[in-house]
Amino acid sequence: MTEIMVVDDDHDLRESMAEVLGKAGFAVTQASRGEEALEHLAKNNFDLILLDLVMPGLGGLELLGRIRDKAPRMPVIMITAFASVENAVAAMRQGASDYITKPFRIDGLLAAVGRVLEEARFESCRTSLDLDTVLSCLSNPLRREILAQIEQKGALRFMDLCRKLELEDHTKMNFHLKILKEAGFLHQDENKLYLLTSLGTQVLGCVRFLMKKLAD
Amino acid sequence: MTEIMVVDDDHDLRESMAEVLGKAGFAVTQASRGEEALEHLAKNNFDLILLDLVMPGLGGLELLGRIRDKAPRMPVIMITAFASVENAVAAMRQGASDYITKPFRIDGLLAAVGRVLEEARFESCRTSLDLDTVLSCLSNPLRREILAQIEQKGALRFMDLCRKLELEDHTKMNFHLKILKEAGFLHQDENKLYLLTSLGTQVLGCVRFLMKKLAD
DNA sequence: GGGTTCTGTGAAGTTTTATTCACAGGGGAA
DNA sequence: TTCCCCTGTGAATAAAACTTCACAGAACCC
């Protein structure tokens, strides 16, 4: 069940939002203050947080920052009575997912909630598109060496590649070359020379980037 | 056998370098002009190129650029009679691996060659250090989803994670969590909450970076 | 206490990935 | 032509990754 937290110091508005969301099939947790919201956050795990911008004590923007420390990609919708460009920009810069102004219509609220949840779902599942092929292809050290070797030398013939990597069995090389070709990292020119595609070059760059990150 | 190309318009110097390198156990190809060097490059595959900076016709720097187009990471040592900071800097900016000045001692040349080849070997093999674990770990879409989910929610308990990812079998989750823990991407705190390590956060960042690259 | 959920282990089974083997056409050299 | 090396395919086998199953202690609720 999708869990939502509503953080607003206005008791009536909070209750009515909770009711609307509850009827729409969400599990709702309420918080009247920022500190309370942080406590809830530490215990429960929410799919979305609705946050009032202006509150006594811990303000909405600061609270948003604190939430980001804990959960960097938690979807958060900011709510405020004072529609201003500055506020909206500040909220979005802190990583708010959306921004709605009071007074709002019930269907407007539900639409925003639905949209943001949808985006979050999309975010987490699109990870398995091409990325899957690319990463499983790169997870093999021999294939990475093949790519690196071809990048270094520019273009290589089949047996040269085998010898440089000290592979006695050429069919093994063939197996991995086929995978690299299918992933779109390299291709053969008219002289049967193997060379990197632009995707291959880019991906190797990414691998180096990752290596640098791992180095420290 | 390690193959080296020597490109220099000075016949005597070229021959003597070739002799020294040949005696040291390298297979040496000679070129007296830039155009000739490019022809050799298209046919053979070298492990290292020694390049004279000042040559009639196609100059050393321009030739270096052409070589880089073909073979972006080919090790190249620049050689010149005119030692100047500007030349050295320009060569290194174009991606020369090293820079030596004429006249040079035989052992100095061999030392430079050895060092550069060693670096190239190191470059291509260090790829299989941690990177192997990291990439094979990331190659599984379920594990990526686990990381993304934890990053979004900040910290999660075991069963919450199972439910969010709609895994009926919790032992499956356990299997993948163990792998993620061993790779150092996440750890458990005293309350058994799973949360990302700094490495985990960084690596997720890299994955997003890669995804963006793939998007276009 | 008794039942239920949470968290975990280890082994057996399945699927995927990687390696090895047997074979074969094309092209160049002797 | 014969021989040999290059390039490749498909099937059989081995290894690794993943899933499922059986079980069990700890914590929590009634």
Side-chain angles (χ1 to χ4, degrees):
Chain A
M1 189 159 181
T2 305
E3 294 182 39
I4 300 181
M5 175 159 62
V6 178
V7 189
D8 199 324
D9 58 309
D10 178 339
H11 177 269
D12 293 348
L13 182 65
R14 200 176 65 231
E15 286 286 354
S16 74
M17 282 197 284
E19 192 189 335
V20 166
L21 292 169
K23 278 185 183 161
F26 299 110
V28 184
T29 302
Q30 299 188 30
S32 60
R33 301 167 43 80
E35 293 79 359
E36 195 188 339
L38 285 175
E39 284 168 25
H40 284 308
L41 189 64
K43 278 182 297 196
N44 297 36
N45 75 89
F46 300 103
D47 297 286
L48 172 63
I49 297 175
L50 291 168
L51 204 56
D52 192 12
L53 182 66
V54 182
M55 287 188 296
L58 194 57
L61 264 190
E62 197 184 333
L63 180 54
L64 177 56
R66 299 276 199 94
I67 291 173
R68 283 277 161 272
D69 291 341
K70 286 273 194 182
R73 304 183 75 78
M74 169 74 70
V76 174
I77 298 179
M78 293 299 282
I79 302 168
T80 178
F82 311 101
S84 83
V85 175
E86 294 76 32
N87 284 342
V89 169
M92 297 313 274
R93 287 175 79 100
Q94 285 268 20
S97 310
D98 208 340
Y99 185 89
I100 57 183
T101 55
K102 296 189 272 195
F104 49 79
R105 292 163 50 95
I106 287 174
D107 54 359
L109 175 68
L110 287 176
V113 166
R115 188 174 55 240
V116 167
L117 286 174
E118 180 59 30
E119 276 168 16
R121 245 190 308 277
F122 177 72
E123 259 285 295
S124 72
C125 84
R126 65 172 280 199
T127 305
S128 29
L129 272 169
D130 305 314
L131 197 58
D132 225 8
T133 317
V134 169
L135 286 173
S136 73
C137 193
L138 288 177
S139 71
N140 183 301
L142 179 52
R143 285 196 289 267
R144 287 200 305 274
E145 274 194 68
I146 292 173
L147 290 179
Q149 197 64 221
I150 294 179
E151 189 192 28
Q152 191 185 69
K153 303 285 163 51
L156 283 172
R157 278 184 320 161
F158 184 75
M159 285 313 281
D160 289 335
L161 211 42
C162 288
R163 276 188 285 268
K164 285 296 174 193
L165 297 180
E166 292 167 20
L167 271 187
E168 66 302 333
D169 186 356
H170 68 281
T171 66
K172 188 170 167 178
M173 175 64 81
N174 240 317
F175 170 78
H176 291 287
L177 283 176
K178 185 183 274 181
I179 291 176
L180 286 165
K181 268 193 279 189
E182 280 168 4
F185 290 172
L186 48 81
H187 69 103
Q188 271 182 299
D189 68 4
E190 64 280 3
N191 303 318
K192 303 217 165 192
L193 278 172
Y194 287 92
L195 32 89
L196 291 187
T197 61
S198 64
L199 176 64
T201 313
Q202 282 191 357
V203 159
L204 258 183
C206 290
V207 170
R208 292 228 168 65
F209 178 70
L210 219 160
M211 266 171 46
K212 270 186 203 151
K213 285 272 182 187
L214 291 176
D216 50 57
Chain B
M1 189 156 181
T2 304
E3 295 182 39
I4 300 181
M5 175 159 61
V6 178
V7 190
D8 199 322
D9 59 310
D10 179 339
H11 177 269
D12 294 346
L13 182 65
R14 199 176 64 231
E15 285 288 353
S16 74
M17 281 196 284
E19 192 191 335
V20 167
L21 291 169
K23 278 185 183 160
F26 300 110
V28 184
T29 302
Q30 299 187 32
S32 61
R33 299 168 42 79
E35 293 80 359
E36 195 188 339
L38 285 174
E39 284 168 27
H40 284 308
L41 189 64
K43 279 182 295 198
N44 297 36
N45 75 89
F46 300 102
D47 297 285
L48 170 63
I49 297 175
L50 291 168
L51 205 56
D52 191 12
L53 181 67
V54 182
M55 287 187 296
L58 193 56
L61 265 189
E62 196 183 334
L63 179 54
L64 178 56
R66 298 277 200 93
I67 291 173
R68 283 277 162 269
D69 291 341
K70 287 271 192 184
R73 303 182 76 78
M74 169 73 72
V76 174
I77 298 180
M78 295 298 283
I79 301 169
T80 180
F82 311 102
S84 84
V85 176
E86 294 76 32
N87 284 342
V89 169
M92 298 311 275
R93 288 177 78 100
Q94 285 266 20
S97 309
D98 208 340
Y99 186 90
I100 56 183
T101 54
K102 295 188 274 193
F104 47 80
R105 294 163 50 94
I106 287 176
D107 54 359
L109 174 69
L110 287 176
V113 167
R115 187 174 55 241
V116 168
L117 286 174
E118 180 58 32
E119 275 169 16
R121 245 189 309 275
F122 177 71
E123 259 285 294
S124 73
C125 82
R126 65 171 279 199
T127 305
S128 28
L129 271 170
D130 306 315
L131 198 56
D132 223 8
T133 318
V134 169
L135 285 174
S136 72
C137 193
L138 288 176
S139 71
N140 183 300
L142 179 52
R143 285 197 288 266
R144 288 200 303 274
E145 275 193 67
I146 292 173
L147 290 179
Q149 198 64 222
I150 294 180
E151 189 191 28
Q152 190 186 70
K153 303 287 164 48
L156 282 172
R157 277 185 321 161
F158 183 75
M159 285 314 280
D160 289 335
L161 210 44
C162 287
R163 276 188 284 267
K164 285 296 172 195
L165 296 180
E166 292 166 21
L167 272 187
E168 65 303 330
D169 186 355
H170 69 281
T171 64
K172 189 169 167 179
M173 175 64 80
N174 238 318
F175 171 78
H176 291 287
L177 283 177
K178 185 184 272 183
I179 290 176
L180 286 166
K181 269 193 278 187
E182 281 169 2
F185 291 172
L186 49 79
H187 69 103
Q188 271 181 299
D189 67 5
E190 64 283 2
N191 302 318
K192 303 219 166 191
L193 279 173
Y194 286 93
L195 32 89
L196 292 187
T197 60
S198 64
L199 175 64
T201 312
Q202 281 192 358
V203 159
L204 258 182
C206 290
V207 170
R208 293 228 167 66
F209 178 71
L210 219 160
M211 267 171 46
K212 269 186 204 150
K213 285 273 183 187
L214 290 176
D216 49 58

